[in-house]
Amino acid sequence: MERTRKRSRWFILAAVILGTAIAGAALLAFLFNVRLVSALIIKDSTGAIIVRLPLQDGQFVHHYIHSIHKTPVDEYFEVHGSSLDLTKVKYDTYGVGMPSDAGEGFSIENGRFVVVLHRSFSSIPIRVSIVPDHGVIIGGTLFPFTRWVPQESAITLSAGRMLIFRNGRISPK
């Protein structure tokens, strides 16, 4: 009987401590405006995480200069859980290396070709271009991959989640 009471007291004490910890975490999250948001994760060739970039709206653009046409190409992605969903591609010059099918729709917007797509990837392997401005655009800001790795490095893009504090401004390494 005494043993049961001791266990019961320990159980109550553990429940009170756990409840207090959860309430404290919720209060801190409220006070410091902590949010869980989608993130773009960039890894090096060994699989080590180089940087996590918060995606306030769950979207980013893979931006590069086409190696043959020397014109910009923008691949628009949305993050859904652990999936990177390619929704459209915008480019300036039609020809070699550019989408040749209409996908789910083809149009011209502001002088650029636009192909609407719905393709999902768990990760995207990339070789960082020697041509400047190869990177990702998040919230209207271009983050060149050479900010973190040298040209011609092998990297991988994948999706994840991360906690951000306050206004969640991007300020990666």
Side-chain angles (χ1 to χ4, degrees), residues 50-88:
I50 299 168
V51 67
R52 290 177 189 263
L53 301 169
L55 304 173
Q56 300 292 337
D57 58 1
Q59 301 176 1
F60 70 94
V61 178
H62 174 221
H63 174 81
Y64 60 94
I65 305 300
H66 194 279
S67 61
I68 295 172
H69 305 290
K70 306 294 187 223
T71 57
V73 178
D74 295 312
E75 299 174 331
Y76 290 76
F77 286 89
E78 293 178 2
V79 172
H80 298 283
S82 61
S83 177
L84 300 170
D85 297 340
L86 177 61
T87 59
K88 67 182 164 185

Side-chain angles (χ1 to χ4, degrees), residues 117-164:
L117 304 163
H118 283 93
R119 297 183 182 157
S120 295
F121 305 89
S122 59
S123 63
I124 302 171
I126 292 176
R127 180 72 61 180
V128 177
S129 178
I130 60 171
V131 180
D133 294 337
H134 183 200
V136 289
I137 299 171
I138 299 172
T141 301
L142 173 66
F143 295 94
F145 294 133
T146 53
R147 179 177 190 168
W148 304 291
V149 296
Q151 296 173 341
E152 299 183 340
S153 295
I155 61 171
T156 303
L157 306 183
S158 60
R161 311 268 296 162
M162 69 184 289
L163 289 173
I164 58 169

Side-chain angles (χ1 to χ4, degrees), residues 31-52:
L31 292 175
F32 292 103
N33 192 18
V34 176
R35 293 183 294 154
L36 184 64
V37 297
S38 296
L40 175 64
I41 300 169
I42 302 176
K43 299 177 183 177
D44 66 15
S45 60
T46 69
I49 295 174
I50 299 168
V51 67
R52 290 177 189 263

